[in-house]
Amino acid sequence: MPLTTYWLEHAWLGTHAEPGVALTVSTGGSAAGADGRITAVRTGVDAPPPGAVVLRGFTVPGLANAHSHAFHRALRGTVQVGSGTFWTWREVMYGVAQRLTPDSYFALARAVYAEMALAGITAVGEFHYLHHAPGGTPYGDPNAMGEALIAAAGEAGIRITLLDTAYLSAGFGTAPEHHQLRFSDGTADAWAERASALKDRDGVRIGAAIHSVRAVPAAQLSTVARWAAERRAPLHVHLSEQTAENEACHAAHGVTPTRLLADHGVLGPRTTGVHNTHMTDADIALVGSTSTGTCMCPTTERDLADGIGPAVALQKAGSPLSLGSDSHAVIDLLEEARAMELNERLRTHIRGHWTAAALLRAASADGHAALGWDDAGALETGALADFTTLALDSVRTAGPVPRLAPETAVFAASAADVRHVVVGGRTVVRDGAHVSVPDVPGALAAAIAALRG
């Protein structure tokens, strides 16, 4: 297998910025996401070795976007007009969902995933519930929409964990509403049968998701959990995002959503709760004691006025933290990382809840683990050759000494500072440009314009 040497001017090796690092990388196969790996890491390399690819700036493991709804990217700007709540925002979202086809979803997702690559993201967890045609009729290929997302990620050059989502009801004991018929397979058993036709492949993992406790009847939660457990696949769930959901769960079952999930075998180390915003102390202890992960999506949580989740308490209880861009109000994992810290500062009036290294870990290694990519997220021998280089000489990052590159990356840099991205040993972004989607803004504009009613 061909080998390539990269000389990293500065690299994050898990705890600090190391100057002069040489990575030897196998280039993988021809398919996007093929498993090229880091075969050697040498430190103390003061100058680029002959023939090495020179990466000036600060190189970190590829970033993992652990929670995405690709079609929500079409809402950017539109849903920022006026006021409202999560529930009024949801009605606008339904309108976009109704207009998507497998072809138009592929075009939109390809552009969205290319935008993610430009932001240094090398793996995405796509929380996918838009399964069927309007009205709920299955496509000829019942997984046409999911396969469109997989193909889009492949063309954009990033890994995808397709979190195929069970979404069966509008609320506790309530049948799906008209807009939600596209989402529903009718029963968890029917969902499992359809999802079982999806297969892992190069650059692709298949996982499961429970949309929420309001969208999957309690008696059917264990079916989804068992499907994921049998495959040792990731299982994600929107959890306590809204106080209204908590209140409705109490009314229906007399317990919190977290307790309900625990009682039906959903929590555990391969499970990630998304948001985990409105939790009791008992909920936090339950999530932590089961090693259930927490995916925070701060830009969406503040855009939708959801609230600030108890991330510090959850992590102290034993819940690994990951990050997601969710509704894609912005696509910038560095912004998500700093927002988690800055939100906590606003809530507590105390600074410094996480180090820059801890926030980078949430955005990389722990995010990859939440998506089933345990061998990604580190610049070390044997790891997948997925990494991202940030400029240290932009108007945002110029000035600090190189040893402060982690702090500079988390608290000053943005997606605009990404210069080079490698996935599986293959270059996806070079000098700030996507190598296979040459006009990402144009692709986004065209795909979104095609969805306007």
Side-chain angles (χ1 to χ4, degrees):
M1 184 174 289
L3 299 177
T4 301
T5 297
Y6 291 86
W7 182 77
L8 316 180
E9 185 179 26
H10 303 281
W12 185 58
L13 299 184
T15 58
H16 64 286
E18 178 78 20
V21 175
L23 295 185
T24 304
V25 168
S26 61
T27 57
S30 59
D35 285 354
R37 293 181 180 269
I38 298 171
T39 61
V41 179
R42 290 185 292 141
T43 59
V45 183
D46 295 334
V53 178
V54 176
L55 299 183
R56 299 282 179 188
F58 181 47
T59 298
V60 300
L63 306 179
N65 188 353
H67 189 65
S68 163
H69 301 292
F71 77 92
H72 290 189
R73 175 62 178 81
L75 301 172
R76 187 183 295 178
T78 302
V79 290
Q80 277 73 40
V81 176
S83 60
T85 66
F86 168 87
W87 308 102
T88 55
W89 168 90
R90 191 175 68 157
E91 293 304 313
V92 180
M93 178 269 287
Y94 285 158
V96 172
Q98 284 297 98
R99 292 191 285 273
L100 284 162
T101 67
D103 288 343
S104 63
Y105 205 5
F106 166 80
L108 176 60
R110 175 179 177 267
V112 173
Y113 296 152
E115 181 182 358
M116 290 186 193
L118 290 175
I121 292 164
T122 56
V124 61
E126 184 59 42
F127 199 103
H128 168 56
Y129 54 81
L130 189 54
H131 302 305
H132 306 301
T137 302
Y139 290 102
D141 173 0
N143 287 307
M145 295 294 264
E147 292 291 352
L149 292 165
I150 289 170
E155 290 213 4
I158 68 172
R159 302 182 192 276
I160 184 171
T161 298
L162 188 75
L163 297 160
D164 196 278
T165 304
Y167 193 136
L168 308 174
S169 58
F172 297 96
T174 306
E177 298 172 358
H178 172 70
H179 289 312
Q180 297 165 333
L181 292 173
R182 297 196 74 173
F183 310 159
S184 178
D185 292 292
T187 67
D189 286 334
W191 165 83
E193 182 179 1
R194 180 187 52 73
S196 294
L198 293 161
K199 304 299 181 185
D200 290 357
R201 63 205 81 162
D202 279 346
V204 179
R205 295 284 181 272
I206 304 301
I210 293 164
H211 179 273
S212 55
V213 293
R214 69 178 186 273
V216 177
Q220 300 184 59
L221 291 169
S222 61
T223 300
V224 184
R226 186 166 55 251
W227 187 96
E230 288 171 352
R231 291 159 178 77
R232 301 188 63 80
L235 174 61
H236 288 214
V237 54
H238 290 132
L239 181 53
S240 288
E241 182 178 5
Q242 292 287 322
T243 55
E245 176 181 274
N246 288 3
E247 292 162 2
C249 188
H250 267 289
H253 298 289
V255 295
T256 65
T258 302
R259 182 74 258 176
L260 187 68
L261 293 175
D263 289 346
H264 291 273
V266 175
L267 303 186
R270 286 191 301 277
T271 299
T272 297
V274 181
H275 304 303
N276 294 0
T277 306
H278 301 286
M279 291 196 147
T280 66
D281 290 344
D283 290 338
I284 292 168
L286 192 51
V287 168
S289 66
T290 56
S291 299
T292 300
T294 295
C295 179
M296 302 297 291
C297 306
T299 61
T300 291
E301 289 152 5
R302 64 193 183 193
D303 182 54
L304 298 181
D306 286 345
I308 300 171
V312 170
L314 282 160
Q315 188 173 52
K316 286 181 177 177
S319 179
L321 298 180
S322 56
L323 297 164
S325 62
D326 193 358
S327 69
H328 311 315
V330 298
I331 294 176
D332 189 337
L333 262 289
L334 299 173
E335 172 62 24
E336 304 294 346
R338 73 170 147 265
M340 188 164 69
E341 166 66 26
L342 297 183
N343 283 353
E344 194 67 18
R345 292 182 185 186
L346 285 174
R347 192 178 68 81
T348 64
H349 302 174
I350 298 171
R351 302 175 74 231
H353 300 276
W354 292 279
T355 64
L359 293 168
L360 283 172
R361 181 174 179 83
S364 56
D366 287 344
H368 281 98
L371 298 178
W373 298 100
D374 297 316
D375 47 357
L379 300 180
E380 60 186 32
T381 301
L384 291 170
D386 300 356
F387 47 90
T388 293
T389 302
L390 302 165
L392 291 178
D393 58 358
S394 75
V395 293
R396 289 165 294 278
T397 61
V401 295
R403 66 178 177 80
L404 296 177
E407 288 74 15
T408 304
V410 170
F411 292 104
S414 78
D417 295 309
V418 171
R419 290 292 175 266
H420 200 86
V421 177
V422 171
V423 181
R426 301 173 64 249
T427 298
V428 176
V429 174
R430 181 184 293 114
D431 297 327
H434 200 289
V435 299
S436 60
V437 185
D439 181 9
V440 177
L444 285 163
I448 293 168
L451 299 176
R452 293 197 180 104

